[in-house]
Amino acid sequence: MELEELVEKFRMKDAKAFEKLYSMYADNICGVIFNIVKNTDIAQEICQDVFVKAWNNSESYNISKGRFFTWMLNIARNAAIDEVRSKSHKNSKQNLSSDFFVNILEDKNDLNAQVDTIGIKSLLTNLKEKCVQIIDLLYFKGYTQKEAAEELEIPIGTVKTRNRSCIAQIRGNIAI
């Protein structure tokens, strides 16, 4: 079956055409989505949503404006970008589940005992508590500077200044 005929049957809501196009394009579409969202499960879910959306809006595809794959790719790209910009996605990135990061800065005395954190203790020596807070929020918990400012109830300019000075202190500790 030729692609044009397959696409036309898809537009007429032919389930066999849907299955064939899905098998042809799903891996590529999921790959593009994954490159944007960086999560396999979310990419798979968005990919399925993209095919359902294309199925429901198949009449809006216009062959004179471009190839079917390009049309699908644009739907996928837009859906992935929408996901990345969504609050739920940002919150999931903010709340990292990795055991490596849990309380990594809270127990500064035992950092060299853990293989994953060897050397961090020496970097954190002589840091003020405000630096530890900023580093923890920005680098270990994934907050943006704006979110850190809201969390600490300080101006964003103060967060930026503290971040710069704290990083400079850490760099100084590396040189020691």
Side-chain angles (χ1 to χ4, degrees):
M1 191 180 309
E2 261 188 56
L3 184 60
E4 292 85 22
E5 185 181 340
L6 197 57
V7 170
E8 192 54 41
K9 286 185 176 187
F10 177 84
R11 291 182 71 202
M12 300 295 181
K13 308 291 190 214
D14 183 338
K16 294 276 188 213
F18 177 90
E19 290 175 18
K20 179 72 173 163
L21 287 170
Y22 186 87
S23 68
M24 288 171 59
Y25 294 139
D27 290 341
N28 293 326
I29 298 291
C30 286
V32 168
I33 294 168
F34 176 79
N35 285 334
I36 296 170
V37 299
K38 306 289 189 224
N39 182 308
T40 306
D41 294 334
I42 293 173
Q44 290 286 336
E45 185 177 330
I46 294 171
C47 185
Q48 290 176 0
D49 291 345
V50 164
F51 275 92
V52 170
K53 187 174 186 176
W55 176 264
N56 291 334
N57 298 312
S58 60
E59 67 281 349
S60 68
Y61 169 67
N62 185 344
I63 196 163
S64 66
K65 291 185 178 181
R67 294 176 39 218
F68 181 77
F69 180 73
T70 307
W71 179 70
M72 291 285 296
L73 208 55
N74 284 329
I75 294 171
R77 185 181 155 278
N78 291 340
I81 290 171
D82 288 346
E83 172 62 27
V84 169
R85 290 179 179 167
S86 74
K87 259 190 170 167
S88 63
H89 185 79
K90 287 180 181 176
N91 285 340
S92 73
K93 289 291 181 197
Q94 190 172 330
N95 300 322
L96 299 173
S97 62
S98 174
D99 291 336
F100 173 75
F101 295 112
V102 175
N103 302 324
I104 196 167
L105 292 181
E106 291 176 7
D107 189 12
K108 290 190 272 186
N109 297 326
D110 197 29
L111 288 178
N112 285 332
Q114 302 169 8
V115 174
D116 291 341
T117 58
I118 290 175
I120 291 181
K121 182 179 179 185
S122 63
L123 297 178
L124 299 177
T125 56
N126 304 325
L127 280 185
K128 295 180 182 172
E129 183 58 33
K130 62 184 181 182
C131 280
V132 172
Q133 285 179 325
I134 292 291
I135 299 300
D136 184 41
L137 290 176
L138 295 178
Y139 297 99
F140 292 105
K141 293 185 178 167
Y143 281 51
T144 64
Q145 290 179 334
K146 182 181 177 187
E147 292 167 338
E150 291 170 359
E151 178 75 20
L152 298 173
E153 298 177 351
I154 57 176
I156 191 166
T158 304
V159 170
K160 292 178 180 185
T161 302
R162 284 184 187 171
N163 186 32
R164 269 193 309 275
S165 67
C166 294
I167 294 300
Q169 285 179 332
I170 291 172
R171 283 189 184 130
N173 290 343
I174 290 173
I176 293 176

